[in-house]
Amino acid sequence: MIRLPNALLSLFACLCLSAFNAGAADIKNVRIWPAPDSTRVVLDTSDPVTHTAFTLNNPERLVLDLPASRLQTSVAKLNFKGSPVDTIRSSQRPDNKLRIVIDLHHKVNFKIFALPPNDAYGHRLVIDLTNYQIEGAKLSSPPSQQQAIKSLELVNSQRNIVIAIDPGHGGDDPGASGPRFNGKYLREKHVVLAIGKYLQEEINRMPGFEGVLVRSGDYYVSLRGRTKKARQASADLFVSVHADAFKNSSARGASVWTLSKRGASSEMGRWLAQKENTADLIGGIGGVSLDDKEEDLAKTLLDLSMTHSQSTSLGVAKSIHKNMAKMARMHKKQVERAGFVVLKSPGIPSVLVETGFISNPGEAAKLRTSAYQRKMAKAVATGIRQYFYANPVANTYIATVVEAKRNQVKYKVVRGDTLSEIAQRYNTSISKLRAANGMSSKSILQIGQQLVIPAG
Ligand SMILES: [Zn+2]
């Protein structure tokens, strides 16, 4: 009797399988390569393989479907340390599809592509996972119940509006310095990081919004690096947070800035812009060139996309200014303009918020307290929310909510109306009517009151 070696046997099985399933592939091995900014997962396949992929959240997962394929290796012993991957699971679907589920610690961006054989490897399917939640993701607390509910609401619904929050300076670049408190100088980089974190909290609390921190610790990020991170997060808005100094310590007041193509609208603007822009020299990066595009083309692109997002930038800035004015002294009655490099983010509407002058002793004393920092964050978040509700972005959760509100039927209460009568008239129930209008069982109908009639 002839004994075939095992390897040959499996090759045989493999060949037979391919013969019967056109395009079928075996996953012979799975390899993982974690790097600081990205993780590469490689599937060694017996043949070129097609795929479909999608993500699921809460918990975060990347799902990969391969037609008529089989996993011929164990993924149990893979070491995922230093990667966003928690586990890899697989299942054979009834339609002979192989489903691979990559459980993730946090949200990622992914790119999947096939590679032909080379000297070392055969056919491969490569999954590149890049960090979506920029740094500090592991430090963030587990999602609250509220966030979980928020995510549930968003299932099968529309996308979130993503706000990139950019606390200025950091690391070697402390930004402006204020007076000393308990022997230590109050530093802009610390104040704006605290405000930025509160702002993220406030934004994540608003359904349909998502806050992403561009800097989440005490380290330096180049000005270009900041906008790049915002682009990577597919941000709808970029908000840079500062608390600067002026040569004259009596200068005071918070301000909101948008980009000016023609120069600053005031001496203050020129001064601040010059200070903010020189911050980048510390990081060793100069100029405004985009990394991968020809300089000329880049300038044109920058120009085009800037005019496009200019009106949004100004709209958001006005809305933030209005809300900040309710809780802080403002430097000017209107939004100001200057040539901040950090605001030159192609395609992303951008605003810069000066939360106050850290060089002014009175404002510094306020800016160092968490109560004031939170209040400031709340005002900025409210400004953002109000703008996007008034100007909803297509295909977002907010757009859906606004559309639903527009289509709502309303009824004005007249003398003699009862809740049960109105419910009957509109073919709904008293409890639904109460719920739609935030009424308790003790609430009394008022003549002239506008009632929202629930759909259905
Ligand atoms: Zn600053």
Side-chain angles (χ1 to χ4, degrees), residues 159-334:
R159 73 171 181 89
N160 283 335
I161 287 178
V162 178
I163 312 293
I165 304 158
D166 170 45
H169 315 279
D172 275 0
D173 168 23
S177 289
R180 271 191 287 205
F181 292 94
N182 308 323
K184 276 175 86 182
Y185 283 108
L186 185 65
R187 304 283 191 198
E188 179 185 1
K189 63 172 183 177
H190 293 134
V191 170
V192 297
L193 180 60
I195 295 174
K197 285 182 173 173
Y198 285 133
L199 182 55
Q200 186 189 32
E201 255 180 62
E202 293 296 333
I203 284 169
N204 285 344
R205 203 173 282 165
M206 312 188 304
F209 287 91
E210 190 175 337
V212 175
L213 275 175
V214 168
R215 174 170 83 83
S216 60
D218 189 10
Y219 50 83
Y220 183 75
V221 184
S222 73
L223 296 185
R224 285 281 143 223
R226 292 171 193 264
T227 49
K228 193 176 167 194
K229 284 189 173 189
R231 276 202 302 278
Q232 280 168 351
S234 306
D236 296 277
L237 176 70
F238 179 84
V239 183
S240 199
V241 184
H242 292 259
D244 277 293
F246 195 53
K247 46 194 171 181
N248 176 355
S249 72
S250 67
R252 58 179 180 170
S255 48
V256 185
W257 299 80
T258 57
L259 191 64
S260 162
K261 283 194 287 179
R262 293 213 181 90
S265 61
S266 66
E267 193 213 343
M268 183 77 78
R270 269 190 298 279
W271 169 267
L272 289 176
Q274 189 217 334
K275 280 182 53 186
E276 295 305 349
N277 295 347
T278 49
D280 227 18
L281 295 174
I282 298 165
I285 297 154
V288 291
S289 68
L290 299 171
D291 7 47
D292 54 348
K293 305 213 168 56
E294 295 285 324
E295 191 83 0
D296 263 7
L297 174 68
K299 275 187 187 141
T300 317
L301 279 177
L302 205 61
D303 233 41
L304 280 176
S305 52
M306 260 162 35
T307 29
H308 178 73
S309 54
Q310 204 87 13
S311 67
T312 305
S313 301
L314 189 61
V316 179
K318 280 181 176 167
S319 184
I320 292 174
H321 190 284
K322 192 182 88 191
N323 282 280
M324 275 168 67
K326 290 177 188 164
M327 52 73 61
R329 164 190 283 271
M330 299 306 284
H331 180 247
K332 283 268 170 67
K333 276 208 180 91
Q334 67 282 330

Side-chain angles (χ1 to χ4, degrees), residues 86-161:
D86 185 32
T87 50
I88 295 182
R89 297 174 280 135
S90 75
S91 62
Q92 210 68 48
R93 313 285 290 173
D95 48 4
N96 212 19
K97 256 187 210 159
L98 172 66
R99 172 160 287 186
I100 294 177
V101 179
I102 302 179
D103 293 306
L104 299 156
H105 293 302
H106 53 81
K107 204 168 184 164
V108 297
N109 288 330
F110 69 91
K111 214 183 265 174
I112 303 176
F113 52 94
L115 283 178
N118 66 6
D119 291 351
Y121 298 107
H123 288 285
R124 285 151 294 163
L125 191 66
V126 178
I127 304 149
D128 272 347
L129 308 170
T130 46
N131 289 345
Y132 177 89
Q133 198 120 35
I134 302 131
E135 271 118 335
K138 281 174 201 144
L139 297 174
S140 64
S141 48
S144 65
Q145 200 180 0
Q146 209 172 4
Q147 275 174 317
I149 292 167
K150 197 169 109 178
S151 303
L152 265 181
E153 282 170 359
L154 287 172
V155 169
N156 297 328
S157 177
Q158 312 278 19
R159 73 171 181 89
N160 283 335
I161 287 178

